[in-house]
Amino acid sequence: MALSECGMDDNPTINQLPAALTELQAAAQAAGFTMSCEPRTGSLLATLAATRPGGRILELGTGVGEGTAWLLSGMDKAAELVSVELDGAVQGIARRQFDGDERVRFVTGDGGRWLEEYDGAPFGLVFADAWPGKFTHLDRVLELVAPGGMYVIDDLAPQPGWPDGHEAAVTDLLATLEERSGFRTTRLTWSSGLLIAVRTQQTT
């Protein structure tokens, strides 16, 4: 029997939704921003963040902050989130929404440059929802995943608006990650198409 036939639904329930989500969704619509984190992906991010008590989390691609909201909803009071976004206008929505939440630090700037210049401690969870850290600077971002930490990427399923050559780039990325020594990966043909990689040892 299919799960759908026995009442199983993979969408997050109302009591799982971050308090800020409805307001952020309205702000995204008003701003014409269409690249927010899909709710099922967000629910997964919240669950993964909850496995990192007191942990350090990196989000590449804040957008208006929907993914940020999901991550914060799963984090405990001692966890820390760094969220990087090139577009200061859309990130400003997230900054205003989460003003006063000391767990999150927003960085406005090019994610690739930030990855190149960052010299701090590694992260237990990295969510790469931007070009840097996914299609560029891959080696660098994987260096920043702590042993036992997770690297998560989304938007891997084919989309109607993909430019020429993008599907091949995704295929190459998946192959590169699955061949990467020191990481155990799982593909999820679910939500927008995900991959989770866990660092099992120090890479060389």
Side-chain angles (χ1 to χ4, degrees):
M1 178 183 294
L3 291 177
S4 59
E5 296 175 358
C6 64
M8 182 68 173
D9 185 349
D10 61 0
N11 290 295
T13 59
I14 291 177
N15 66 347
Q16 292 175 312
L17 301 179
L21 192 62
T22 299
E23 188 172 342
L24 289 170
Q25 289 172 336
Q29 184 175 4
F33 186 79
T34 61
M35 298 180 288
S36 290
C37 175
E38 200 269 346
R40 288 176 297 173
T41 298
S43 179
L44 176 62
L45 290 174
T47 299
L48 296 180
T51 71
R52 304 288 153 175
R56 293 173 46 76
I57 298 173
L58 172 63
E59 177 184 36
L60 296 169
T62 311
V64 300
E66 290 186 43
T68 309
W70 283 106
L71 288 165
L72 289 169
S73 73
M75 291 164 52
D76 68 5
K77 293 181 180 180
E80 301 175 5
L81 170 63
V82 177
S83 186
V84 184
E85 170 62 48
L86 178 62
D87 189 333
V90 295
Q91 191 189 58
I93 297 171
R95 285 180 179 271
R96 291 188 292 274
Q97 182 68 52
F98 299 110
D99 182 42
D101 193 329
E102 297 182 353
R103 297 174 299 166
V104 59
R105 178 170 69 89
F106 291 106
V107 177
T108 305
D110 180 78
R113 179 172 295 179
W114 185 89
L115 287 168
E116 292 168 2
E117 297 177 352
Y118 177 75
D119 62 356
F123 297 89
L125 172 60
V126 175
F127 174 46
D129 193 21
W131 202 266
K134 187 186 293 186
F135 296 106
T136 68
H137 300 81
L138 182 62
D139 288 344
R140 176 57 180 152
V141 76
L142 293 180
E143 289 175 357
L144 297 180
V145 179
M150 292 175 284
Y151 168 79
V152 181
I153 51 177
D154 65 348
D155 299 332
L156 301 174
Q159 303 292 327
W162 273 4
D164 290 344
H166 190 71
E167 185 170 0
V170 169
T171 299
D172 290 345
L173 172 64
L174 293 174
T176 297
L177 286 167
E178 290 172 350
E179 294 170 359
R180 182 85 179 202
S181 64
F183 284 84
R184 179 63 183 255
T185 63
T186 294
R187 297 188 192 190
L188 297 174
T189 54
W190 170 82
S191 185
S192 64
L194 307 173
L195 180 138
I196 300 175
V198 176
R199 187 168 190 168
T200 57
Q201 63 186 33
Q202 293 291 336
T203 56
T204 57

